[in-house]
Structure formats: C-alpha cells, structure tokens
Amino acid sequence: LIVIRNLWLSPHLLDEPAGAAAHREAAELGADIHERILAVGDRLAESSAILAQHFYQNAPATWRRLGAEGFDAWVALGERIAGADPISREGANAFFSVRVSELGEEPLAKLTAWGETALRVGEASNKLAGLFLRNTAPLMNAATSTAAIDAWAAAGTGLHGQHGWQGEFLAQAFFNSAAQVLPALSPSAFRLWAGAGSALFPKVREREFFAHFPSQIGGWPPDDQANLMRIVIALAHSDHRVAYEVYRQFPASLAPVPPAARASLLRVLAGGGNKLGNAMGDFAPVAGAILRQIPAPRLAASLAEVERLAQRCPQAVVSALRSLPRVCDEADAERVGQWFAIGLDLVSESARAGLAYFALESRTSINVLHRGSTAASLDQSQGLLRKYLQMMSGSPAGIRPMERFSLRPEIEEFPGEREVALPSRIDLLPSHEENLRLYRLLAAHLAGRRLFGTYAAHAELAADPADPPGRALFRYLTDDRRPALLEDLFTLAEGVRVHCAMSRIYRGIASEAGWVADKLLRAWCEQPAPARSRRLDTLFALALVDGDTVHWPPWLDREIGRSLLDLLRPLRDAEASVVDSLRAAEAIAAALDRAAASIGGDLGEADGSFYDTVAGEMIYYDLYDDEEGPPPPMAEAPAEAPQRDDDSPVQPRDMELALSEETSEESGGTPLSPEELERLLQSGADLRIRQGGADEGVEGLGLYITDLLGKMPSEHLEELRKLLGDPERQKRRPPRRWLERSTDGACYWYDEWDYQIADYRSRWCQLYEIGLDGDSGEFFQTALGDHADLLPEVRRQFQRIRPEMYRTVRGLEDGDDFDLNAAVGARIDARAGIAPSNRLYVARKREERDVATLFLVDMSASTDEPLVEPAGGNGSRADGRPPRRIIDVTKETLAIMAQALEEIGDAFAIYGFSGHGREQVEMYRVKSFAESLTPSVKARLGAIEPRRSTRMGTALRHAVERMAAVSARSKHLILLSDGFPQDFDYGQDRRSNLYGIRDTAVALREAEMAGVTPFCITVDKAGHDYLREMCDENRYMVIDDINALPRELPKIYQRVVRT
Amino acid sequence: MLPIDKKGEILEAHPDFLLVISYNPGYQSVLKDLKHSTRQRFVTIEFDYPPRDKEAQIIAHESGVDIDTAMDLAKLGEKVRHLKASGLEEGVSTRLLIYAGQLIGRNIPPRRACEVAVSKSLTDDAESQRAIDEVVCTIFGN
C-alpha cells in the first residue's frame, strides 16, 4: 500500500504549489478524514497515478464544500467514469479536476448531472465521453447551466450516429470546439449547429466547419442563431459551397445591421429554406452593406415586405433584398409598398416573371417603380429632346443614354455621328417639370457645343488627318500623357464658354441657368462632401452664376472658389474659342498637379479611384476593408455630419466618415479619401497663394494664357510657365481604366424580351460599338475584281431603279398625256348628257428618292465555315488563295453593293455584330451613314472577320437606334446571317433557341414600329423553320446557294427598297 | 398674243402687260407644278423664307412689336424650320410669326402667344408642339 501511495503522492506532486496546498488542506481536515482521502487516492492510483493526483488536488476543497456524503457521491461518480469499459481515464481526470468551489449553487447536483451526462455519452463512445469531459471541464462554472451541458452532449452524441463510421470524427470535432462555442451559442441552437456541420459533411471537412465558428454570432439572440443555422442547413442540400460561404461570411457581413433588422432578415431567409438558391452565396458577403444603404426608418417596413414575399416565393427573396436599396432610393415608402404588392401578384402567376421583377430586371418592374415618380426619363422625353436639339442646332441628333447625371455632358469621340449623350434619368428636383427643364438645359448646352464649335479645333490639337472630323478633341483630352483631370476640367471650362455664348443669344438660357444653379446649389449644399464629378458640377453651377449665389457649397473655400472662377472668367468673353477653354482647363490642371506635387504625392498614382471618378467610371470600393474596421450599426451612426464652426479647419477624416453613409449605387461616385481631400484642399490653398499680379516672363505662351495667368499670383508663375511649356512635365500616368475600355468603344444598354416572363428584361444587354481597324483596302479591290462581270450588271439594274422613281399621277387637268380611261369615261358621260370631268390627263411625277439602308452583318464564329465550291474543286481556289468562307462571300457582296449604292447615291451604312454574353454584345462599325465610301471604309469592310456569338435582338435594337438619327422617308434594315440567333446566355436553356428567336422577333417588330423596315436574308438552308417564326413571309429570304448571294442581294435591295 | 379658237379671236397684249405667277414648289406640287414648256417662258425669282433680319423687319412692321421681339420671333422661325421634314410638314410661315407678334403687342406673354400662334397652328403632334414650346422658352425665357 505504501508503495502505491508513494507512486502517486510523490515528491513531484508535493513540490508543486497546488499539490502542496491540497496536502496541507487535507491535513488540516484531521487525520481521519485525511486518511479517508488518501485511501480513495490509493484506490484510484491502482488504475492511474495521475488520476489520483487530479483527485487529491481537489479533494480537500470538495470535502469541505460537499461534506462527507457529497464527497462520497463525488468519488463514486468519478470511479464509475474511470471504471467504464474501456477505461476512460482522460474523462475521469477531467472530472476530478473541476473545482467544486466554482460551480455556484448546488454544486453536487451539477456535478452529478455532468457526470451522468458523460456516462450517457460514453454509451455511444467512451472516447467521446472523455473528449466531452475534457472540453467541458474548463467550462464547469456558475455561468454554465446543466441544461446547456446536457443539450451540448446530446447534440454531439447525435452526430455520432451519422455518416456511418465517420460520425465519430464529426462528434469529436464538435466536442473539441466546446471552449469557443458552448458559451457563445445558445443551447437551443446546438443541435442545429451540429446539424449544419453534418449537412455539409463530407464536402466540408468536420474540422474545417466546427473549428471555424463565426464568433460574431456570439452576441445574437437564440432565434437569430438558430435561423442562421437553418439557412446553412437548407442551402447545404443544394450547394455546399454556397452554404459554407454563408456560414463563414454572413455573420461578419451582418455586423453593422441593427439587431431588429438582422432578426427579421434571418427569419425571412430561414423561411426561404433551400429555395433561396445560389444567389445567397453572392448576397451573404454584402448583405450588411446592402441593408445599410436603406434609410434606417424604412428598413423595418421594407423587410416586412420581403417577409411577405418569402411566404409566396422564396426564390425571389434574395433578388428583392438586393434591389431594396435602389427601390427605396427611387420611390417613397408608399410606392415601395405598391411595388411589392404588384410583384406579389405577378409571382403567383409566374415565378420566373416574379424573379425578374424583384431583381428589377423586367421592364414592368421599373415602370411600376417609377410610376408616379417625378423623375424625368430619357425614354419618355427622347423624342422631344431630339426635336429640340434638331431645331436648336439645325441638324438631326441621336441621343445616347448616360448612366449618371452630370451638368457637363461627355465629350463625343465621333461628333460626326451626330450623337449626343444625355443622362438616362434625372431625379434631382422635386417636380417632373423641373427635371425636364434640366434636360432642356443640357440639350441646349449640347446644341451650343455644335453652334459654337466645340469640335472645330483641328490644327491646334495636332489632329490626325486619318481621323473622322471632330475626333481630334477627344484624342487630345484622353491622351494619357496629359493630366488625368483634363477632360473633366475641359468640360467645365468649355461649359462656361458655351453657356455664355448661348446666353448672349438666347435670353431664356441666361435666366434658366440662374434658376438651375440656384436649385442645384441649394440641393447640393446639403451634402457635406460630394463625389468628384458632383464637385465639378457644383463648380460649374457656381460658374453659371459667376459665383453670385447664397448657396455656397460648404466644402469649397470661398477664396479658392473665387480664384477658380477668376480663371474661368475670360471664357465669358464673346471672342473666346474652344482653344481658350482648352488652355484654361490645362492651366487649372497644371496648377492642381503642381499643388499635389508640392505636398509630395502624385495625384494619379496615389489612388486608382481618383481616376475612376475623373473618368466617370462606376466605383467598386470595399465596404469592409476599412482601416477603422466595420462601420458602426446604423442605429448608432450619427444622422448628420458633425457640425463644426466655419473657422475651424476641415478634417478630411471626418468628412469621409460622414460621406460613407451614402453609398447609393446610382450616385456612382466614391467619397474622397482623406488623403485626396487633403490634397484638394491643399491645392486650393496653393492657388490662393498665387493670387497677385502678372509677370512679363510669360508672354511667349501667347496672349490668352498670359491673360489667364495674370489672375494667378506671381511667385508661382515662373514655375507654372515651365510646367505649361515642358511636355515632360509630369510622370507618365497609369493608364486609365476608362481609356483601356475605349478600345471597346461607347457602351449602350438595351432591353431584351424574355418570352418566359412575357416582359422585357430591363437594361439587360450591354452593347459596345467598336470601330474596326481596316486592312489595306486590298480585299475590297480584289472582291470588285473577282466580280468584274457582276458589277456592271448591278449598276445597270440600279440605273433601272431610277425610272421607277417616277410615279404616274392621274386625274390631272393638264399633263403630259391623255388618260385614255378617263377620256373614254368623259366621252360616255358627254353622250349620256352628264357633265364630263375635265381631269383627263396623266403626268409622270418624279419622286424624291429618300431612302436609307443599314446592312447588318452576322459576324458569328459559324461564318468561318469554308464553302464547297460549285465547280466541285477541292476547296482552295485556283490561284492558291485559301478557300472562301461564308463571311468572305458576304463581304464580297457588300463590296459590290457599297460600290453600286455609292454610285446611285443612296444613303447606306454597314455594321457587323457579334459578342459573347449579354454584357459583351459587340457592334462593329464599318460604315456609318455620315461617312461616304472612303478608302478607310473600304479597308474596314475587308477587316470583317468571324468572331463569336449571334445575339441578334440586341444588335437589331442598336441598328434601329442608329437609324433614328437618320432623316430619310423610308428606312430599311437588311440583316445578313447564316443561322439562328444564339449566345451562351441567350435564354436559360442553352439548348433551346426559342428565347433568342422570340427576342429577335420582338426586336424586328420594334424596328417596324420605329419606322424601319427590316428584311432578313440567311444562307442557312434550315432558315425557313425559324425565320417564319420571327417575321412575315415577305420579310425574309433563304438563299440556298451562298454563291448566289452577290447576285441576289442587289435584286433583293431593289425589290425591298422599292416596295 | 392669245388666240381664242372658239371665238376665232386673237387678243393682243398691252405693251405694259406683265404676267406674274407665284406658286409653292414642293407643296401640293403634284397638282400645281408647271409644265416645263410653260415654266421656261418665265424668268424666275426664288423666294425662300427671308433672312432673319429681314424677317424681323417684316414682323416688326406688320405686327407693331419692337424690333428686339421681332428678332426673337424671327430666330424662332429659323429654329422651327430646322424641323421641317422630320416632324413638321411645313416650316413656320412669316405670317404665323406676325400673328404671334400681334398677340405679344397686345400684352399676351410671349410663351402663350407663340403657343397659340406657332406651335399649336403648325402641328397636331403633341411632342412636336412641346419641342417647339421648349425652343420658345429658350428664346424668350420662362
């Protein structure tokens, strides 16, 4: 016995402070009791010395707390645990190591319950019981209830039975996470949490899941925790990746959301179950950011609407949530209610239609949202504005929608195309009429650009003679050797010049500008620190009234503002030209750059988002990756920016925080970073220092610049002069994202018809109009050479169209010839005693030939197919050239057509189209209506090559849009294709062509309604099948032998254009 | 010399006789176009709309408005005529501008005067009317 006791009551134990203290305490209890304790220790040591040591350390304290009876019960339970088979010493160690003193009320009952629970776990697996005890032992204190421990063990044991033999591992991982999870999660959610882990297993390994407990949910109420787990479990059944993503990211994303909204959101989503779909994966990380964009007072009501929707159509819930910020932004509470109500009706008719509706993708959805809105939209006022522009400027105009509102419309790359950009929607002022007035002012400004030669400078801008007229300005402004801000500053300066020139002629403009400036400045002054584009707009509004306003923007120092206005003032002169505007913009840009450099940073390289805003790009900025950590919940956020005295210096950091409150998708801007703002303020300060007299040393720069610089302080003039004179004055800037995209050309959005929802999907397709780089013109000449026999024939045919342009007019009193029928009739009348008609003549009346035709060429990959030559050759041609492909024949045909049409003088344009997906529909401009058949057009025709897909509907819509600006009495669109409409996302089912066919059919109908007569030609022999569905029988033609196309197209043209 | 077959008479013209005809080319021309042989017996003076300053003088003279208002009206005429063939059948006549001038002379606000005398008289198309009204606003102010 002594030997055993020496084994465990070793000097090693007694030397430790805890062991020594226990030994001392035990001795103090008296020799009898001490011996009783030692006897138990000896008994335990028979199976494990360490067990006995654990026991001994806590034994005296337990005796004192529980008394003799309690002590015995404690020992008995411990021995049962230790004695289980196979022996779980680990569990017993943990059992005896718990300090009874920390257990709070009724320690024995608690210990007993714990031990009994462990024994129950042990019935499933002793190893688990050990893990359970070991992991829960540190948690055995007053805060942990018996019920929680019980629920925990039950949840863990439940896992053991799942996934066969691997259940053991699941349960082990579960119990191992006790320290972190047990105190954080509410007992009612244990089982759900375990269930989530099990549902994701084995795609997500058990360690991965149970060890990565999202700590944020610790503070959540039990229902929220349970709902999150329900969402994860439901999602795990459809896609484990989405489910795991939601599990890991959703809690963090919801951190800034007020508790009530979070609870409501989780309830909604949990109700949705596995019907939420994969959209949840994208939604989870941004959920908090999205909810934060909804004004706090409207959040609860909005979520209640979503909850109603969840009961009817869970699939649409995530879409609706994502749409909420925009919906709340564009409609008041009442209208939002109506929007949901109408959507709910729609959902019960067709789930697909409902999905598109709540994603704000269908046209109905947008219309309902905007119904009763006071916003003016381009859709509604397009015709009006077009006519206004035509009257004001004297030439027709096409209108391209611009995403964002700006008082300073974009500079056009191809002004010769007679297209202008206007915002797609204006919703800045309270009434519809006022918003429309803003449109009118913008349109007047655009007309002014035409009237006062904005695009007229060539020589000064070192224009490239190969460019279409007017492009020089765009090239100049976007050249990346020039300051990044230049384009924006130019629109500001040129805006002032054009406005003043217009005001001199039109009284209405002057008064209108005063009105607009007053309204807008008043509205904008309430914003503490607007985004950059808005900032420049504000400056422009100030310039419109030459700074004479009571609504001075708070972020703009008066003196800085005044000095900027001074720089712009010379442009108010009647003699000022676009070159002066350019120089003024350059002077300001240089001054700003100088100022930036003086505080040791490059305006450009410091922050990419600076360029984005300057270039008018939409900004993505990380809502979380914030130095300050996640923003505070809305409830705690200050409603307004902190007020400060006018005199105190502006703290950029404060401004940024205030601004990060409003991050609506539509505003498109980004708040200034503190650094940028500081820089702008600094640069302003820099300008202020420069206030002063002129310097003689700058005369070499030309009179106007001298005038301009005269407004600036003398001490910086020399530097500025150097800056202006030295082309290498700045480091080369990183290319702007916008510039990179300019190879893609201007971007347009089009709706698309979805037959399955029986509605348009709003702004569904993004089309880029791209100029083709031509070949050397070789193809065109070769094609004409190859068809040398055909061209004269076509020419003769077209000559024959001419007489057809005469029309016989009957029933004239005087004319070229008798109308025999009328003469006979008159004779009969005379004989019959009736007064005869004297309208007995006919005349041939020449009709003005006023047609415009657009040839739309399918450039899909399938046109790459080589042809089987009719002669039965081996494919390659006699002269060794590669075999002809469908596209080659099409091009040859177009070459002949172009040549012949140019000769008879009919207006025509050629565009090709292709693309890849709805966000990348490409339209290639070969020849616009404005161009004549120049060598570069011929070269571009040669450059038509097969590309990718065939999204026909969108291309047709763009072609019709292009024709809207053409003022011809009869407009035709001839579509040349080799197959049915097809794109990888043209409809949900890739194998079905129905979506594309229906959309194309609708697009063709739209064309007819817009006064453009479409005609489809296909070389696909199966064409009858789908063309019949797309258009009238007399509006299409299938050409069986593609080699006949060059001969057929002129005939078709003759027939189509004549009828 | 004008032979009248039925009567067997020959009328001789007075030495001071002068025949002046006027017609609108293009307008109802199917019925009213001259035969080429007839046409070639005339010398031709082509009247288009008068230049802006002349038209302003005419408007001022005929309606009694001051020359500045007349200038604005003439400017309006010029702008509206840009819309011919793409929205309007016919450009605005000097006559309509004079009517507008007369109304303005009687203290009718220019916007209203132009609305009743110009835009509503020119077209039934609401959009074109509205567009013309917008141009009136731009010229005369709100």
Side-chain angles (χ1 to χ4, degrees), chain A residues 383-384 387-388 390-392 394 433 436-437 440 505-509 511-512 809 812 814 845 967, chain B residues 30-31 33 35 72 75 79-80 82-83 86 125 127-128 130-132 134-135 137-142:
Chain A
L384 172 72
K387 286 188 170 125
Y388 179 83
Q390 181 169 356
M391 282 193 274
M392 291 302 290
E433 273 308 299
L436 203 57
R437 265 173 92 174
R440 192 178 69 204
I505 303 180
Y506 299 106
R507 231 182 310 148
I509 300 268
S511 59
E512 197 75 351
V809 185
L812 299 179
D814 187 12
K845 171 72 196 144
S967 62
Chain B
V30 173
L31 299 168
D33 235 4
K35 266 196 294 187
D72 282 343
K75 208 187 289 173
K79 299 292 167 200
V80 172
H82 284 147
L83 209 57
S86 46
D125 173 35
E127 191 180 84
S128 299
R130 176 71 200 246
I132 294 168
E134 297 292 351
V135 175
C137 266
T138 304
I139 294 175
F140 289 96
N142 265 311

Side-chain angles (χ1 to χ4, degrees), chain A residues 146-375:
Chain A
T146 304
I149 294 284
D150 234 27
W152 179 255
T157 319
L159 282 173
H160 183 262
Q162 296 178 20
H163 297 283
W165 57 274
Q166 299 183 89
E168 172 81 16
F169 299 124
L170 277 171
Q172 285 177 14
F174 178 87
F175 282 130
N176 274 329
S177 63
Q180 198 197 355
V181 183
L182 202 147
L185 207 58
S186 79
S188 58
F190 290 161
R191 190 174 282 279
L192 286 165
W193 187 60
S198 169
L200 283 169
F201 188 84
K203 301 273 179 31
V204 179
R205 302 307 304 183
E206 70 281 0
R207 273 165 220 266
E208 184 82 8
F209 180 87
F210 289 114
H212 289 107
F213 177 73
S215 57
Q216 293 88 348
I217 72 174
W220 291 8
D223 280 352
D224 287 10
Q225 295 178 339
N227 280 334
L228 175 71
M229 297 312 157
R230 288 194 184 103
I231 296 167
V232 174
I233 292 171
L235 288 171
H237 289 301
S238 49
D239 188 333
H240 67 278
R241 252 165 309 168
V242 171
Y244 190 55
E245 200 66 3
V246 169
Y247 170 71
R248 291 294 305 276
Q249 304 210 20
F250 206 24
S253 149
L254 288 178
V257 176
R262 182 186 63 217
S264 160
L265 177 69
L266 287 165
R267 201 165 50 237
V268 170
L269 293 173
N274 58 359
K275 292 190 178 138
L276 293 175
N278 295 349
M280 251 327 269
D282 297 335
F283 175 69
V286 292
I290 288 175
L291 292 190
R292 263 165 43 83
Q293 289 182 40
I294 303 167
R298 293 172 64 181
L299 193 54
S302 308
L303 286 172
E305 296 283 5
V306 179
E307 210 162 344
R308 264 194 288 282
L309 169 65
Q311 287 155 13
R312 298 275 280 280
C313 179
Q315 300 94 313
V317 162
V318 174
S319 300
L321 285 168
R322 301 190 78 128
S323 303
L324 268 186
R326 183 171 163 206
V327 169
C328 288
D329 205 38
E330 296 185 3
D332 57 16
E334 192 187 340
R335 178 136 298 278
V336 172
Q338 287 166 6
W339 184 76
F340 271 102
I342 292 173
L344 282 173
D345 283 349
L346 203 62
V347 156
S348 45
E349 280 168 30
S350 145
R352 280 184 63 97
L355 269 177
Y357 180 94
F358 283 106
L360 279 174
E361 280 168 359
S362 80
R363 207 182 262 183
T364 309
S365 172
I366 306 261
N367 287 347
V368 169
L369 189 62
H370 290 168
R371 197 188 295 160
S373 139
T374 58

Side-chain angles (χ1 to χ4, degrees), chain A residues 67-210:
Chain A
E69 230 169 283
F71 178 81
D72 286 343
W74 179 60
V75 171
L77 192 56
E79 280 180 322
R80 266 175 72 201
I81 293 168
D85 181 41
I87 294 158
S88 173
R89 237 171 264 135
E90 190 186 27
N93 282 344
F95 180 81
F96 281 123
S97 65
V98 168
R99 293 178 180 279
V100 182
S101 56
E102 287 171 12
L103 289 176
E105 303 279 308
E106 299 185 28
L108 183 59
K110 217 165 178 177
L111 270 177
T112 314
W114 184 44
E116 294 290 346
T117 306
L119 286 168
R120 271 201 304 282
V121 175
E123 283 164 22
S125 150
N126 263 329
K127 172 136 174 95
L128 280 187
L131 277 178
F132 166 74
L133 285 168
R134 195 184 66 194
N135 283 303
T136 45
L139 302 168
M140 288 305 289
N141 51 42
T144 314
S145 74
T146 304
I149 294 284
D150 234 27
W152 179 255
T157 319
L159 282 173
H160 183 262
Q162 296 178 20
H163 297 283
W165 57 274
Q166 299 183 89
E168 172 81 16
F169 299 124
L170 277 171
Q172 285 177 14
F174 178 87
F175 282 130
N176 274 329
S177 63
Q180 198 197 355
V181 183
L182 202 147
L185 207 58
S186 79
S188 58
F190 290 161
R191 190 174 282 279
L192 286 165
W193 187 60
S198 169
L200 283 169
F201 188 84
K203 301 273 179 31
V204 179
R205 302 307 304 183
E206 70 281 0
R207 273 165 220 266
E208 184 82 8
F209 180 87
F210 289 114

